[in-house]
Amino acid sequence: MALSVPGYSPSFKKPPETLRLRRKRVRSLGTALPPGERSEPAPRRAALAAGLSLRPFPVAVGRGGGSPATAGRNPFARLDNRPRATTEPPDGSPPGQQEAPSPTSHVSFSESDTPSSESTELPVDWSIKTRLLFTSSQPFTWADHLKAQEEAQGIIQHCRATEVTLPQSIQDPKLSTELRCAFQQSLIYWLHPAFPWLSLFPRIGADRKMAGKTSPWSNDETLQHILMNDWSVSFTSLYNLLKTKLCPYFYVCTYQLTILFRAVGLAGNDVITALMSPTTRGLREAMKNEGIEFSMPLIKENGHEKKKISGTSLEHGEEQAISDEDEEESFSWLEEMGVQDKIKKPDILSIKLRKEKHEVQMDHRPESVVLVKGTNTLTLLNFLINCKSLIATSGPQAGLPPTLLSPVAFRGATMQMLKARNVNVKTQALSGYKDQFSLEITGPIMPHCLHSMTMLLRSSQSGSFSAGLYTHEPTVVFNICPPMDKVLDKETIHEELANCGLHPKTLDQLSQTPVLGKSSLRNVEMSDYIYNWRS
């Protein structure tokens, strides 16, 4: 049987009781005596006489206790693992005197938790969505079982870029042929290449879904060459449409990165732009060697934005000279000590990798996004056509060309439809259960489609619905606002892009300057024709 020793603490988790009592006794005696009668050390008395604080960290204004006794108390007095009494305020303040909140204190919300102000329009979102889930108190039965004539009319309206303007509110959406045709029109997109047994979006991280699927080109070089030639023709056709302002934008989706090409006037730019993300140091070096000028909007050096990087031989020579000078300076102190022969110097490759460590670390991250502008996009087009690293050499995607996604038709493209599904559920309410109607849309949902859908639901659901938006994460970074030399006015944009195949209101939205930054729309709610959104 163990003996109970007074003041003994098992495992030494608590100080002995005698020390605790002695500490309390000394503190109580010091508080009872007047400040002038205490036996204080000479340095302490001198500091008190000069009015200096005895704490290494000053007490914040508004906290209890400002007397010398409180200021000079033992900061380790509470390290005895005892629970505080509920009536005792923190930091040894007297009972009844609570800590006042600091005037500068505030609750910080992450960007995804901050709702926007009310607006009649949504901000432009250049990310690709994989799923939209709309919910409303009114049914979506009008989106089900389109008649053959309505489906055909919707396809014709899309191919002819027919502008459809719906009333603010539709009394009976199920009987509105105009609404149902416009819905069919909004579901269409164009894709290349197309194989019915393969889902070609998304491509990043799709190896598991593609595993086990038939891919006759994976081991057939002749077939790979044919597919790549066909893809090059389609890619060039899309770029020519973009250059002539007949296509507003398109995406190139590879197994490693995604590229967004935008026409003049979109996202506030006065030239053609291309955003690439994520990139690697090897890809960027290859682009520099091809003479492609690009910038990295999210990378800053020494507080200043990183300037355009050029692949000219002059700049390469200057960088090499600077690198050699730094190398000589870094080992000069070894020569002064006379031990330069005894220490193995790192090779040039190791030095270069160490200096460019930050560039290597950001590879495959959103911060590695690259912006190409103007005539450099044509050079980028030729570079991508001849770039072997865009195509996987092993795995389920081996030999498969990148996916081209466009809102308008182009050479070699296949018309595809987003999948729509109407679901009715009952949700619990205060008075029992109520009907909750939902409309789910899946597929590669591009920015113009998202805007078209919200315009349709604005009319069909009488300005009241909510939506959950599921984003393809590698494309979120496309919402950054790149530096712009000149901003075009709306009239000029409408005049130049009048034949790009988009509704005028959709064109208005896509011409806005992006404001979402490195985030995207996650939740949208419309009430009384007013939007609230979260990113």
Side-chain angles (χ1 to χ4, degrees):
M1 179 175 177
L3 297 176
S4 177
V5 181
Y8 173 73
S9 175
S11 302
F12 302 98
K13 292 183 178 179
K14 298 181 181 180
E17 188 69 25
T18 54
L19 292 179
R20 191 182 306 137
L21 292 174
R22 186 178 304 169
R23 185 166 58 239
K24 284 185 177 180
R25 190 180 302 114
V26 172
R27 191 184 310 151
S28 61
L29 289 174
T31 308
L33 290 174
E37 298 180 6
R38 294 182 201 163
S39 57
E40 301 284 359
R44 188 181 183 88
R45 288 199 302 270
L48 288 173
L52 299 176
S53 175
L54 297 178
R55 283 192 174 189
F57 305 102
V59 182
V61 178
R63 300 183 72 163
S67 64
T70 307
R73 66 182 296 274
N74 183 10
F76 303 103
R78 277 290 171 187
L79 297 182
D80 56 355
N81 297 326
R82 288 182 302 158
R84 294 181 181 271
T86 55
T87 58
E88 181 181 354
D91 205 26
S93 302
Q97 185 174 357
Q98 298 294 332
E99 183 177 354
S102 171
T104 59
S105 64
H106 64 279
V107 180
S108 62
F109 293 93
S110 63
E111 191 176 5
S112 60
D113 292 335
T114 307
S116 74
S117 57
E118 294 183 347
S119 174
T120 56
E121 285 294 335
L122 289 174
V124 60
D125 188 346
W126 285 102
S127 63
I128 304 178
K129 309 298 178 185
T130 57
R131 180 171 175 251
L132 301 179
L133 183 61
F134 296 100
T135 57
S136 175
S137 57
Q138 300 184 26
F140 292 96
T141 51
W142 54 269
D144 274 345
H145 307 297
L146 297 179
K147 299 177 182 178
Q149 183 178 359
E150 293 170 340
E151 182 177 348
Q153 183 65 29
I155 293 175
I156 291 298
Q157 288 178 186
H158 172 84
C159 294
R160 296 178 180 175
T162 305
E163 179 184 334
V164 178
T165 302
L166 298 174
Q168 185 176 17
S169 179
I170 300 177
Q171 297 298 327
D172 194 347
K174 192 174 181 180
L175 299 179
S176 176
T177 303
E178 189 178 19
L179 172 65
R180 291 159 67 87
C181 293
F183 179 67
Q184 173 74 9
Q185 178 182 357
S186 301
L187 294 177
I188 298 174
Y189 67 96
W190 298 85
L191 176 79
H192 180 88
F195 303 103
W197 66 93
L198 279 182
S199 176
L200 293 180
F201 181 85
R203 295 290 296 272
I204 298 177
D207 287 355
R208 183 176 298 179
K209 291 183 178 180
M210 289 187 177
K213 301 293 180 66
T214 303
S215 52
W217 51 82
S218 58
N219 297 317
D220 190 339
E221 292 186 2
T222 304
L223 187 54
Q224 290 180 15
H225 185 70
I226 294 173
L227 289 176
M228 198 60 198
N229 285 343
D230 196 30
W231 180 84
S232 301
V233 171
S234 297
F235 188 16
T236 305
S237 169
L238 253 182
Y239 183 83
N240 291 335
L241 288 171
L242 188 83
K243 190 176 179 180
T244 54
K245 300 164 187 170
L246 297 176
C247 172
Y249 65 90
F250 66 90
Y251 293 88
V252 182
C253 307
T254 77
Y255 76 107
Q256 282 187 326
L257 77 154
T258 307
I259 310 166
L260 167 62
F261 284 84
R262 289 186 293 215
V264 175
L266 295 192
N269 290 285
D270 61 334
V271 292
I272 296 176
T273 59
L275 283 170
M276 304 173 60
S277 178
T279 62
T280 61
R281 178 175 169 271
L283 179 64
R284 295 190 295 271
E285 288 292 333
M287 291 172 62
K288 284 194 289 183
N289 294 336
E290 291 294 325
I292 301 174
E293 292 185 356
F294 62 88
S295 61
M296 304 185 71
L298 297 183
I299 300 300
K300 295 183 180 181
E301 290 184 346
N302 301 325
H304 299 285
E305 201 168 304
K306 192 170 185 179
K307 302 300 181 181
K308 282 186 179 180
I309 304 170
S310 176
T312 59
S313 58
L314 177 62
E315 290 188 0
H316 179 73
E318 292 176 355
E319 290 177 1
Q320 185 65 33
I322 294 172
S323 175
D324 295 340
E325 290 176 3
D326 293 343
E327 182 184 352
E328 292 176 0
E329 291 177 1
S330 61
F331 296 108
S332 60
W333 63 277
L334 293 176
E335 296 178 1
E336 295 175 0
M337 296 178 63
V339 293
Q340 69 274 12
D341 297 332
K342 298 180 181 180
I343 298 177
K344 184 180 179 181
K345 297 181 182 180
D347 57 348
I348 297 175
L349 181 60
S350 300
I351 296 172
K352 189 174 182 181
L353 287 176
R354 188 161 56 248
K355 289 179 180 178
E356 298 178 356
K357 183 179 179 181
H358 65 284
E359 291 192 15
V360 177
Q361 286 178 340
M362 72 181 178
D363 286 357
H364 302 290
R365 295 185 178 183
E367 289 77 12
S368 65
V369 62
V370 162
L371 172 64
V372 183
K373 302 176 69 173
T375 55
N376 287 284
T377 56
L378 178 59
T379 313
L380 177 64
L381 168 74
N382 296 323
F383 170 77
L384 294 175
I385 289 176
N386 299 306
C387 184
K388 302 297 183 183
S389 61
L390 289 186
I391 302 176
T393 57
S394 61
Q397 300 191 55
L400 188 61
T403 301
L404 301 176
L405 289 173
S406 170
V408 298
F410 58 96
R411 184 173 176 181
T414 304
M415 178 186 288
Q416 301 288 332
M417 301 284 297
L418 298 173
K419 296 179 181 179
R421 188 167 66 103
N422 183 17
V423 180
N424 302 333
V425 296
K426 289 188 178 294
T427 58
Q428 194 168 5
L430 295 176
S431 58
Y433 289 89
K434 67 175 183 179
D435 290 327
Q436 186 74 19
F437 306 97
S438 64
L439 176 64
E440 182 186 42
I441 298 174
T442 55
I445 302 161
M446 290 181 278
H448 76 285
C449 179
L450 175 61
H451 187 262
S452 299
M453 287 295 170
T454 54
M455 285 198 305
L456 291 179
L457 298 185
R458 179 190 180 100
S459 299
S460 65
Q461 310 306 117
S462 301
S464 179
F465 66 88
S466 60
L469 287 68
Y470 299 81
T471 307
H472 181 47
E473 293 301 325
T475 63
V476 171
V477 73
F478 293 155
N479 286 321
I480 63 172
C481 181
M484 292 172 287
D485 300 328
K486 184 177 66 175
V487 179
L488 300 178
D489 54 48
K490 284 187 177 181
E491 294 181 359
T492 305
I493 294 173
H494 276 279
E495 183 179 349
E496 293 187 351
L497 296 174
N499 299 319
C500 71
L502 297 182
H503 193 280
K505 290 185 178 179
T506 304
L507 185 59
D508 277 342
Q509 195 211 31
L510 297 184
S511 61
Q512 295 176 8
T513 303
V515 296
L516 293 175
K518 289 186 287 184
S519 63
S520 64
L521 293 177
R522 306 288 178 179
N523 296 95
V524 173
E525 183 176 355
M526 171 173 271
S527 179
D528 295 330
Y529 300 97
I530 300 296
Y531 284 110
N532 272 313
W533 51 270
R534 291 179 183 271
S535 61

